[in-house]
Amino acid sequence: MDGGQYNPRTVEEVFRDFKGRRAGMIKALTTDVEEFYQQCDPEKENLCLYGFPNELWEVNLPAEEVPPELPEPALGINFARDGMQEKDWLSLVAVHSDAWLLAVAFYFGARFGFDKTDRKRLFNMINELPTIFEVVTGTAKKQSKEKSSVSNSSTKSKSSSKGRAPESAKYSKPVQAKDEEEVVDEEDEEEHGDTLCGACGENYAADEFWICCDVCEKWFHGKCVKITPARAEHIKQYKCPSCSNKRARP
């Protein structure tokens, strides 16, 4: 379980460590959910979900040394897999994953002597990101929708789901003076800045290609789900990896 582990010593390094581990665990519970599901065999021993600083994840037995080098994730996540609805089980794993990430981050903070100001700054940086639970359950997407006063018909939404970016793809810019275009770009960033990728949980950016799942209606970076703009043009109905796996599983 090396996963690119290292010992971050500054607030910025601990936050970077947190983001990497978080990204890996989000992948396990979203884009890699089929593989994660298969690895969590209830017939196996107590298993844990680990996230690593290099954005990878792993399902494995807990560390043998006592006490462990780092706080340990929730033990035995595989035992509950077949006794719950899949979405409820994934939500449960997500909640425990959030708790583990905070434990690891503040373990580093204690180990390297962060003072009150450092701890507060670290928490504020972490708190700016949606939790894994919010990403997995779609709560983060709902919250961003509530903040937006823009309402569009379902017809428009479907027709633009293979657009360059959430919502903004529904509108075509008229020819404008340079200053006016800059103002429109700034407004676009403000309007859609709360839209989050269903895979990595990062915010919307105007210069990135996004695609919307026609089943769960979550938005994804094209790079996160391996869809290019050219390929999107030929997709009549896009299903994200999570929705595709749900349909495929007996």
Side-chain angles (χ1 to χ4, degrees):
M1 290 188 293
D2 56 6
Q5 288 189 16
Y6 66 101
N7 289 328
R9 294 174 179 270
T10 67
V11 171
E12 288 72 20
E13 287 176 342
V14 172
F15 181 59
R16 188 161 58 246
D17 179 274
F18 176 93
K19 284 184 68 177
R21 294 176 189 276
R22 171 181 172 276
M25 299 178 99
I26 287 176
K27 285 179 185 175
L29 299 174
T30 56
T31 54
D32 296 345
V33 69
E34 178 68 17
E35 183 181 352
F36 172 68
Y37 185 93
Q38 295 299 333
Q39 287 191 28
C40 291
D41 186 349
E43 297 300 318
K44 294 181 180 178
E45 296 183 53
N46 292 298
L47 295 175
C48 302
L49 171 61
Y50 293 89
F52 298 115
N54 57 3
E55 301 188 6
L56 297 178
W57 61 273
E58 179 182 60
V59 171
N60 210 333
L61 295 171
E64 293 182 1
E65 66 267 23
V66 178
E69 181 183 355
L70 291 175
E72 283 291 300
L75 185 67
I77 57 171
N78 51 316
F79 295 150
R81 190 195 75 176
D82 293 346
M84 306 173 66
Q85 291 280 343
E86 182 184 341
K87 65 177 183 179
D88 294 333
W89 175 66
L90 292 174
S91 297
L92 179 65
V93 176
V95 169
H96 283 294
S97 298
D98 283 319
W100 178 67
L101 288 177
L102 285 171
V104 171
F106 283 88
Y107 162 81
F108 284 130
R111 180 176 176 181
F112 296 114
F114 287 9
D115 59 18
K116 179 179 179 181
T117 302
D118 288 337
R119 292 194 302 271
K120 184 176 181 180
R121 189 155 66 92
L122 174 60
F123 179 78
N124 287 340
M125 293 167 74
I126 289 173
N127 205 37
E128 286 300 309
L129 296 172
T131 64
I132 297 177
F133 176 80
E134 288 172 337
V135 173
V136 170
T137 61
T139 307
K141 179 173 178 285
K142 291 176 185 175
Q143 289 175 346
S144 66
K145 272 188 174 182
E146 289 171 1
K147 292 178 184 177
S148 175
S149 60
V150 179
S151 60
N152 296 282
S153 69
S154 59
T155 304
K156 284 186 178 180
S157 177
K158 293 297 181 183
S159 65
S160 66
S161 63
K162 267 70 77 176
R164 182 171 174 74
E167 304 289 341
S168 59
K170 298 170 187 176
Y171 306 98
S172 58
K173 287 186 190 174
V175 177
Q176 297 167 318
K178 184 177 180 180
D179 290 343
E180 290 176 337
E181 288 181 348
E182 290 175 355
V183 170
V184 171
D185 288 340
E186 290 174 3
E187 290 176 348
D188 182 65
E189 285 285 357
E190 291 175 3
E191 182 180 338
H192 309 301
D194 289 329
T195 302
L196 303 169
C197 174
C200 69
E202 296 297 324
N203 289 77
Y204 158 74
D207 60 347
E208 295 179 306
F209 171 73
W210 285 57
I211 188 166
C212 179
C213 174
D214 288 308
V215 179
C216 65
E217 296 187 349
K218 290 182 181 179
W219 286 92
F220 299 86
H221 288 110
K223 63 184 180 183
C224 289
V225 290
K226 299 177 182 177
I227 298 292
T228 63
R231 185 179 173 190
E233 291 297 323
H234 301 286
I235 299 176
K236 290 183 179 180
Q237 184 183 49
Y238 174 67
K239 294 179 185 176
C240 68
S242 180
C243 290
S244 296
N245 290 330
K246 287 177 183 176
R247 295 296 180 88
R249 188 178 302 140

